[in-house]
Amino acid sequence: MEALDYHAEERRKAEFDVEEMKIVWAGSRQAYEVFRKDNRTMLSRKDLFKDTLRKAAHAWKRIIELRLSEEEASKLRFFVDQPVFTDLHWGMFIPAIKGQGNDEQQQKWLPMAYKMQIIGCYAQTELGHGSNVQGLETTAIFDPETDEFVIHSPTLTSSKWWPGGLGKVSTHALVYARLITDGQDHGVHGFIVQLRSLDDHLPLPGITVGDIGMKFGSGAYNSMDNGVLRFDHVRIPRDQMLMGVSQVTREGKFMQSDVPRQLVYGTMVYVRQKIVADASCALSRAVCIATRYSVVRRQFGSHNGGPETQVIDYKTQQSRLFPLLASAYAFRFVGEWLKWLYTDVTQRLQASDFSTLPEVHACTAGLKSVTTSATADAIEECRKLCGGHGYLSSSGLPELFAVYVPACTYEGDNVVLLLQVARFLMKTVSQLGSGKKPVGTIAYMGRSEHLLQCRCEVERAEDWLKPNVILEAFEARAARMSVTCAKNLNNFPNQEEGFAQLATDLAEAAVAHVQLIIVSKFIEKLQQDIPGKGVKRQLEILFNVYALSLLHKHLGDFVASGCITPKQGALANEQLRLLYSQVRPNAIALVDAFNYTDHFLGSVLGRYDGNVYPKLYEEAWKDPLNETVVPDGYHEYIRPILKQHIRVARL
């Protein structure tokens, strides 16, 4: 019997070429059926971890057999869709050696790492310190007599805690410790330390290592062996300190190398652009599930015995769902721009041009913070948009949330990152009168005199469809919030005290700046030559939905800063409602453009054919509880209750 496609009619409504939109989005997707995951949330921790090892080994085998390029191999690991030790090996360990090791160290360690003859992790975070890297307690004391560093964990809180791949798999770690020579502390530096024997995988002398235990959710990040690590005076050769930007001589003298220290920023930009790209992927998956299910689900509104109303046709559903759909596209495009930025900053660093580094640091920190926070919140919103069924593991949404939400903390706590952005903004404002012209994503600050005085000229709802009107409103809001914070800081005799007291306002100013970046990059995307029937028109609608939904959400900021009036805010909301009606006929096609297979999506609610209810029923019977009709424990616990054969203790 031919499978029904409950979304076929929705696809016929599309006003654009979905195949062309797929190209705009990402290109083709393929499922690798060998990587089964439908039973993942039911596995015990041990079985889940062994399953993860099996998948990682199979992926590596295919990479070798097919002679995949580094980019192709990365795609294959992406499709495994399960947190695994190789994520840290390829995503952190290797890039750090490339970015911070000298030529000799790269020649020694990278060939082994590329062949996976060694498996590495990134051991920075400690039990007592995460965001405050300069507060790390692990020590690396140089012993000039043996030409070695002694790596030691002097306190319980100095235990390395959280590194993925550390718990059970990694043979080596890039350990960040306080470099001490002749009693002098030179701050935190990186060291390559072997943890386990390459023969029997046992920990080496002086190494205590293990897994930190179960984490949030079923399945999810529990496939990763996040670890704890302690050192008891472990000795390593001097040349295992990463010496790309600083080094210790044979005599124990600490020296900065000829290579500028700023080169380490390249690794940071690479990691953060990858995180932003992952945000777009996770958000688009959640939105795809919620959109497809919202079309299938019908509730209320039946007339004369006819069908009930599709949930997606309720304005309350559209106002919650469609801004998230637009955000997925917005994050995709700003992620593409970040890839360009990484290439640009790498070329500049190699040419010893460090002029853009402060702006790049603030930009990547802010985008990491804003996109990951928004995505985590959006996945949970998509779960609620799916009603009660969204709470089922088979919906795919609980595990997606659990596996994604750590992104708000790793590679920089999101609030801490916003405050770093705020410091950059305050410095930029302080330099406005110096003649130094702001560049890049902060260039709008150079027009602050105009932005502080301009008034939005919107008179009708449709005026909000003009990109230049939206852009100026976001620029004015960002500029005014930053300038206001800078003025308020000047009221404090101590700048740091002021920063602590105004931290909330400063973080909100940073969010305004980052949202402006995303809006501006969406506009730049629309200015490109976009092929395909109707594709550009749909992207224009999505842009307006994204920008105006942000304006609606942060209307208080826009009005309080004086850049728009309450009446203009109401007109923006009126236009937003009209835009939802334009998104509605194309909703299914817009999520089809993500090109996710059912296997990759991993959701009964988000099935391509929309055949949800029979599959939900089918999935229910796969649960281990249904392996027996009468549950284990019936005779021991339930029957005595029913038969009133409970012995009551006599006092």
Side-chain angles (χ1 to χ4, degrees):
M1 180 177 176
E2 185 178 351
L4 294 175
D5 185 349
Y6 289 87
H7 292 142
E9 181 60 31
E10 296 292 330
R11 294 185 174 103
R12 283 193 286 271
K13 295 177 184 177
E15 299 167 347
F16 68 97
D17 188 336
V18 69
E19 294 303 321
E20 294 289 348
M21 185 69 89
K22 287 178 181 179
I23 295 173
V24 172
W25 177 260
S28 62
R29 298 275 189 244
Q30 291 182 352
Y32 295 87
E33 296 300 333
V34 68
F35 299 113
R36 181 186 176 189
K37 57 184 182 182
D38 60 310
N39 64 340
R40 194 161 55 193
T41 58
M42 300 181 193
L43 297 177
S44 68
R45 179 80 198 284
K46 281 188 173 182
D47 288 341
L48 176 63
F49 185 63
K50 189 171 182 179
D51 175 69
T52 307
L53 298 183
R54 178 182 63 81
K55 290 175 179 174
H58 185 82
W60 180 243
K61 177 184 176 184
R62 297 299 290 159
I63 289 168
I64 298 300
E65 291 174 345
L66 299 174
R67 299 182 181 181
L68 299 185
S69 66
E70 189 171 340
E71 182 179 357
E72 291 168 335
S74 177
K75 280 284 187 183
L76 177 53
R77 288 191 292 270
F78 170 81
F79 287 125
V80 173
D81 190 35
Q82 195 158 308
V84 60
F85 63 88
T86 52
D87 296 348
L88 284 302
H89 177 80
W90 294 99
M92 295 294 292
F93 183 71
I94 288 176
I97 294 175
K98 290 170 68 176
Q100 300 172 38
N102 60 25
D103 291 341
E104 292 77 13
Q105 290 173 321
Q106 292 185 39
Q107 291 169 9
K108 176 181 178 180
W109 295 101
L110 289 179
M112 291 188 289
Y114 282 134
K115 296 176 183 176
M116 294 199 75
Q117 294 170 336
I118 61 172
I119 298 172
C121 65
Y122 191 85
Q124 177 174 291
T125 299
E126 295 179 352
L127 187 59
H129 288 88
S131 297
N132 182 15
V133 176
Q134 295 309 312
L136 296 180
E137 299 176 85
T138 302
T139 57
I141 301 174
F142 181 66
D143 183 350
E145 293 187 7
T146 61
D147 195 26
E148 294 173 319
F149 286 106
V150 181
I151 312 295
H152 185 59
S153 305
T155 63
L156 178 66
T157 50
S158 69
S159 305
K160 294 299 179 184
W161 192 272
W162 277 113
L166 169 64
K168 294 296 176 182
V169 176
S170 294
T171 62
H172 291 68
L174 190 49
V175 176
Y176 284 84
R178 312 197 70 81
L179 170 61
I180 300 173
T181 62
D182 196 23
Q184 184 176 357
D185 189 329
H186 300 283
V188 175
H189 290 74
F191 301 83
I192 300 175
V193 183
Q194 183 173 348
L195 306 177
R196 293 177 169 95
S197 166
L198 295 178
D199 293 324
D200 57 15
H201 208 61
L202 290 174
L204 298 181
I207 301 286
T208 300
V209 62
D211 188 272
I212 62 172
M214 284 287 288
K215 297 170 285 286
F216 178 68
S218 300
Y221 228 86
N222 288 298
S223 60
M224 180 72 79
D225 56 325
N226 297 93
V228 53
L229 172 65
R230 288 184 58 78
F231 299 98
D232 184 4
H233 300 92
V234 174
R235 290 180 172 269
I236 63 170
R238 177 173 55 88
D239 64 7
Q240 287 182 211
M241 168 189 168
L242 291 182
M243 295 188 181
V245 294
S246 57
Q247 56 189 263
V248 172
T249 66
R250 175 65 184 86
E251 295 73 30
K253 183 180 179 181
F254 176 77
M255 298 173 56
Q256 294 289 348
S257 71
D258 295 334
V259 178
R261 187 168 183 79
Q262 290 92 332
L263 283 180
V264 299
Y265 278 81
T267 303
M268 175 201 70
V269 175
Y270 169 80
V271 172
R272 287 180 179 167
Q273 65 91 13
K274 181 71 168 59
I275 290 174
V276 173
D278 289 345
S280 169
C281 176
L283 176 51
S284 61
R285 290 176 69 172
V287 167
C288 185
I289 294 167
T291 301
R292 287 177 174 172
Y293 181 63
S294 294
V295 167
V296 171
R297 187 71 169 178
R298 292 175 178 270
Q299 292 290 289
F300 307 112
S302 175
H303 296 289
N304 299 321
E308 294 176 274
T309 301
Q310 290 171 286
V311 169
I312 199 170
D313 287 328
Y314 288 105
K315 289 298 179 182
T316 50
Q317 191 83 351
Q318 293 177 7
S319 66
R320 295 163 64 195
L321 177 60
F322 291 166
L324 304 184
L325 172 59
S327 296
Y329 277 87
F331 293 174
R332 177 73 189 188
F333 299 147
V334 80
E336 289 177 355
W337 172 75
L338 271 185
K339 288 182 181 179
W340 170 86
L341 184 67
Y342 171 65
T343 302
D344 180 71
V345 76
T346 300
Q347 292 173 348
R348 288 176 180 270
L349 290 174
Q350 291 171 349
S352 297
D353 177 2
F354 311 123
S355 60
T356 62
L357 279 184
E359 185 238 341
V360 167
H361 177 268
C363 173
T364 55
L367 284 170
K368 185 273 178 185
S369 175
V370 168
T371 58
T372 55
S373 290
T375 297
D377 292 344
I379 296 171
E380 169 61 7
E381 185 68 7
C382 285
R383 183 193 67 77
K384 290 185 284 189
L385 283 164
C386 292
H389 295 336
Y391 196 64
L392 287 168
S393 286
S394 59
S395 78
L397 291 166
E399 188 181 19
L400 180 59
F401 177 77
V403 81
Y404 185 78
V405 75
C408 296
T409 305
Y410 62 60
E411 292 309 305
D413 175 85
N414 281 355
V415 175
V416 173
L417 291 179
L418 287 178
L419 293 176
Q420 291 177 9
V421 177
R423 287 189 182 276
F424 169 71
L425 293 174
M426 295 305 98
K427 184 176 181 180
T428 300
V429 172
S430 70
Q431 295 174 340
L432 287 178
S434 67
K436 185 177 181 181
K437 188 177 180 181
V439 296
T441 56
I442 205 73
Y444 69 97
M445 283 289 194
R447 295 181 289 106
S448 59
E449 187 174 345
H450 165 72
L451 293 173
L452 293 176
Q453 298 175 359
C454 71
R455 293 292 180 268
C456 180
E457 298 180 355
V458 166
E459 296 179 354
R460 301 171 304 171
E462 55 265 33
D463 290 340
W464 279 115
L465 298 178
K466 301 173 183 177
N468 62 308
V469 171
I470 289 175
L471 185 61
E472 185 169 81
F474 274 81
E475 288 178 338
R477 169 207 181 204
R480 294 180 193 198
M481 291 179 72
S482 290
V483 169
T484 299
C485 284
K487 288 180 179 178
N488 291 338
L489 277 175
N490 290 332
N491 295 329
F492 290 85
N494 181 284
Q495 188 85 352
E496 288 305 311
E497 179 187 351
F499 208 91
Q501 292 298 321
L502 298 174
T504 302
D505 294 344
L506 288 161
E508 290 173 354
V511 169
H513 170 67
V514 176
Q515 289 175 342
L516 167 60
I517 294 174
I518 300 173
V519 165
S520 66
K521 297 309 167 187
F522 208 143
I523 291 175
E524 288 180 11
K525 181 69 176 181
L526 294 175
Q527 292 170 343
Q528 298 174 10
D529 182 20
I530 300 174
K533 175 188 173 184
V535 170
K536 186 170 185 177
R537 175 60 185 148
Q538 293 307 311
L539 293 179
E540 289 171 346
I541 293 171
L542 289 175
F543 163 72
N544 288 314
V545 169
Y546 178 72
L548 294 183
S549 64
L550 283 180
L551 191 150
H552 176 66
K553 181 178 180 180
H554 300 279
L555 185 59
D557 290 345
F558 285 91
V559 173
S561 61
C563 52
I564 72 169
T565 65
K567 172 71 179 300
Q568 290 168 332
L571 290 174
N573 199 34
E574 179 184 333
Q575 183 58 56
L576 191 56
R577 286 195 297 271
L578 296 173
L579 288 166
Y580 293 153
S581 298
Q582 295 177 50
V583 174
R584 170 62 187 94
N586 299 285
I588 286 295
L590 284 167
V591 298
D592 283 353
F594 301 151
N595 210 8
Y596 294 138
T597 64
D598 284 344
H599 172 83
F600 181 75
L601 206 57
S603 170
V604 172
L605 303 188
R607 290 176 56 87
Y608 182 83
D609 63 10
N611 195 21
V612 171
Y613 296 127
K615 292 299 179 181
L616 274 177
Y617 187 81
E618 181 181 313
E619 284 298 312
W621 293 105
K622 294 180 181 178
D623 191 281
L625 277 181
N626 289 323
E627 290 176 356
T628 59
V629 176
V630 177
D632 293 341
Y634 165 77
H635 292 286
E636 189 175 359
Y637 302 112
I638 299 176
R639 182 179 172 81
I641 294 175
L642 294 172
K643 300 299 182 182
Q644 301 297 300
H645 292 164
I646 301 174
R647 294 183 179 180
V648 180
R650 296 176 181 270
L651 296 179

